[in-house]
Amino acid sequence: SQTIHQWPATLVQPVGSPLSLECTVEGTSNPNLYWYRQAAGRGLQLLFYSVGIGQISSEVPQNLSASRPQDRQFILSSKKLLLSDSGFYLCAWSLTSNYEQYFGPGTRLTVT
Amino acid sequence: AQSVTQLDSQVPVFEEAPVELRCNYSSSVSVYLFWYVQYPNQGLQLLLKYLSGSTLVKGINGFEAEFNKSQTSFHLRKPSVHISDTAEYFCAVSTQGGKLIFGQGTELSVKP
């Protein structure tokens, strides 16, 4: 069966520090991968998605970047965090053949 | 462009009462529709999906939803809720690019 992991689970970082969040998927090959951000009391905002290694599409201009160095690894990064980067970050995957997405447990990021 | 509107941001209900969470979408093409549930500080879990066929879709935890093409709605229902159903519920619609667009969420609060 397929599983998706995210780490760390929680993170507190000062403004201006770098960020690296990791997401890995097991049990499937060549998945589509997604990064979402969920701000307090709001819905999900799609940040990035990837259909293959090295292929990243950005949905909104922002202080973040994403990379996919391996088929089942998706990384969210920032060189300098802003207060507005605080939120709950969710990684998800789907098969290329359908639209159903499966979500990881999320990372709670607090920028202080 | 597709969009999703969840008509209620919060729905309080007593235990064992029926509940309906409303979702309307807009799209000029055929869509796939989903309902996800999110418990506090967790990722999203798929409740049910409509891809084609019967307009009444049954999901996990006793939930069901009805696809109404003429009213562009996909309302979620449960005939008798439990305390454990307290969570945030998200409606989502597929896009031609294979991504999902989520509504802003409905917070279901089940009271004893």
Side-chain angles (χ1 to χ4, degrees):
Chain A
S1 64
Q2 301 90 357
T3 55
I4 178 169
H5 305 279
Q6 286 187 246
W7 64 87
T10 61
L11 190 60
V12 180
Q13 292 284 93
V15 169
S17 64
L19 173 74
S20 180
L21 303 182
E22 189 165 343
C23 170
T24 58
V25 180
E26 296 177 355
T28 189
S29 296
N30 195 30
N32 291 340
L33 295 172
Y34 309 84
W35 276 113
Y36 291 88
R37 177 168 59 203
Q38 189 176 25
R42 304 182 68 176
L44 282 79
Q45 180 186 33
L46 179 62
L47 301 176
F48 302 95
Y49 71 96
S50 171
V51 298
I53 295 174
Q55 301 178 62
I56 309 294
S57 296
S58 175
E59 288 295 296
V60 292
Q62 58 205 317
N63 186 43
L64 302 169
S65 62
S67 62
R68 185 171 177 174
Q70 300 180 42
D71 181 43
R72 291 169 289 177
Q73 185 184 31
F74 205 22
I75 297 172
L76 184 69
S77 304
S78 173
K79 292 182 179 179
K80 289 185 178 182
L81 284 168
L82 306 173
L83 284 174
S84 58
D85 291 324
S86 292
F88 193 50
Y89 287 82
L90 290 159
C91 181
W93 71 274
S94 69
L95 294 173
T96 54
S97 57
N98 64 42
Y99 296 91
E100 185 174 329
Q101 293 183 18
Y102 304 91
F103 285 79
T107 295
R108 174 77 59 191
L109 172 65
T110 303
V111 182
T112 60
Chain B
Q2 290 93 340
S3 66
V4 177
T5 301
Q6 291 185 240
L7 299 163
D8 307 293
S9 59
Q10 294 181 321
V11 174
V13 63
F14 287 105
E15 193 173 18
E16 297 184 5
V19 70
E20 178 180 79
L21 306 184
R22 297 180 294 167
C23 173
N24 284 92
Y25 69 93
S26 66
S27 176
S28 58
V29 298
S30 296
V31 295
Y32 301 141
L33 295 156
F34 305 84
W35 274 99
Y36 285 85
V37 60
Q38 183 181 32
Y39 299 102
N41 294 311
Q42 294 185 27
L44 276 69
Q45 180 183 5
L46 182 69
L47 269 181
L48 49 78
K49 60 187 176 186
Y50 171 78
L51 303 180
S52 64
S54 173
T55 57
L56 182 63
V57 180
K58 294 190 182 297
I60 62 172
N61 300 342
F63 284 93
E64 64 180 31
E66 186 158 17
F67 171 59
N68 188 318
K69 187 174 182 179
S70 62
Q71 297 186 7
T72 61
S73 67
F74 191 54
H75 300 333
L76 182 69
R77 302 185 183 101
K78 186 170 182 177
S80 176
V81 294
H82 303 292
I83 297 289
S84 58
D85 292 323
T86 294
E88 186 102 26
Y89 292 80
F90 291 94
C91 181
V93 63
S94 60
T95 71
Q96 286 187 301
K99 295 174 283 185
L100 294 180
I101 294 176
F102 287 85
Q104 289 298 301
T106 296
E107 185 180 334
L108 175 64
S109 177
V110 181
K111 304 177 187 303

